[in-house]
Amino acid sequence: MGEAIILIASYLLGAVPFGLIIAKAWRGIDVRKVGSGNIGATNVYRTLGLAPGITVFIADVLKGFIPTLMAIRLFDQPWVAVAAGLSAIIGHSLSVFLKFKGGKGVATSLGVAIGLAPLIALMAFGIWMAIVLATRYVSVASIVAVLSVPPLMWAFGKPLEYKLFALLVAVFVIVKHRSNILRLIQGKELRFVKHNEKTEEQNG
């Protein structure tokens, strides 16, 4: 019973559309109608600026981290922590508050990874940051970063549940970025730029 409650709570927290809420509160903008239309931190940064973008990023990370940490503290079972994290990610991407639409889940997945394996999460974030700085392709950075997590989970000898989580999230993030991948193949994916520069980067 307790496990079911935390999974439901994790989904509902993950489903809170912080990008939409913060953008409306900050400047009265519906972030779904500007830029890429995504509710994630990248689109908020691109359309509103650095401060709201970082705020959304932190909020989206926390809604993955908090349920995972709570599950770890309350239940001594790796599968519960993983299930809570996955529930939060699903909530973010298929939010009941947005008619089961949402973001791509990268920041929320990072939050879950921080709860499960902080060092591996830090390494993956470092990879993400390095690729963004080198290429300015957020989509490429996100895909490569999540693909780095499964082998890192194996290398550090993490529980089987954590390894399976990493594989599932990698597949999920790649599927969510399928339109970005198509644009990369076509040479149409534009690089991430400052929020006041014109861009058609479709990631967030």
Side-chain angles (χ1 to χ4, degrees), residues 132-156:
V132 169
L133 293 175
T135 68
R136 295 205 299 174
Y137 283 124
V138 176
S139 55
V140 173
S142 298
I143 292 169
V144 174
V146 297
L147 286 175
S148 73
V149 177
L152 287 172
M153 287 289 190
W154 256 270
F156 282 85

Side-chain angles (χ1 to χ4, degrees), residues 7-156:
L7 295 186
I8 293 170
S10 298
Y11 171 83
L12 291 175
L13 177 59
V16 177
F18 286 114
L20 178 63
I21 294 170
I22 291 170
K24 283 191 173 182
W26 210 287
R27 202 177 295 173
I29 293 176
D30 186 337
V31 74
R32 296 170 298 179
K33 299 179 180 179
V34 294
S36 68
N38 196 279
I39 64 168
T42 300
N43 193 41
V44 173
Y45 165 73
R46 181 173 53 246
T47 55
L48 275 77
L50 181 62
I54 290 177
T55 303
V56 172
F57 175 75
I58 292 173
D60 284 349
V61 168
L62 286 176
K63 68 184 185 182
F65 173 72
I66 292 173
T68 305
L69 183 63
M70 288 182 62
I72 291 172
R73 294 284 178 86
L74 295 174
F75 305 94
D76 188 23
Q77 301 179 68
W79 77 264
V80 180
V82 167
L86 288 173
S87 295
I89 295 169
I90 292 170
H92 176 77
S93 299
L94 299 170
S95 173
V96 67
F97 305 119
L98 298 177
K99 298 180 180 179
F100 297 100
K101 296 180 180 179
K104 296 183 178 178
V106 176
T108 304
S109 297
L110 174 62
V112 178
I114 293 172
L116 297 176
L119 179 58
I120 291 175
L122 179 62
M123 294 172 70
F125 182 72
I127 292 170
W128 181 89
M129 183 65 71
I131 295 175
V132 169
L133 293 175
T135 68
R136 295 205 299 174
Y137 283 124
V138 176
S139 55
V140 173
S142 298
I143 292 169
V144 174
V146 297
L147 286 175
S148 73
V149 177
L152 287 172
M153 287 289 190
W154 256 270
F156 282 85

Side-chain angles (χ1 to χ4, degrees), residues 168-202:
L168 285 173
V169 170
V171 172
F172 179 79
V173 170
I174 290 172
V175 170
K176 293 291 286 185
H177 282 79
R178 58 190 182 278
S179 60
N180 301 83
I181 294 171
L182 179 60
R183 285 193 296 274
L184 284 164
I185 294 173
Q186 297 173 338
K188 297 179 180 179
E189 179 84 335
L190 300 188
R191 291 177 171 82
F192 176 75
V193 297
K194 294 180 180 179
H195 77 279
N196 57 350
E197 295 179 31
K198 186 176 181 180
T199 180
E200 295 177 5
E201 169 77 63
Q202 299 296 303

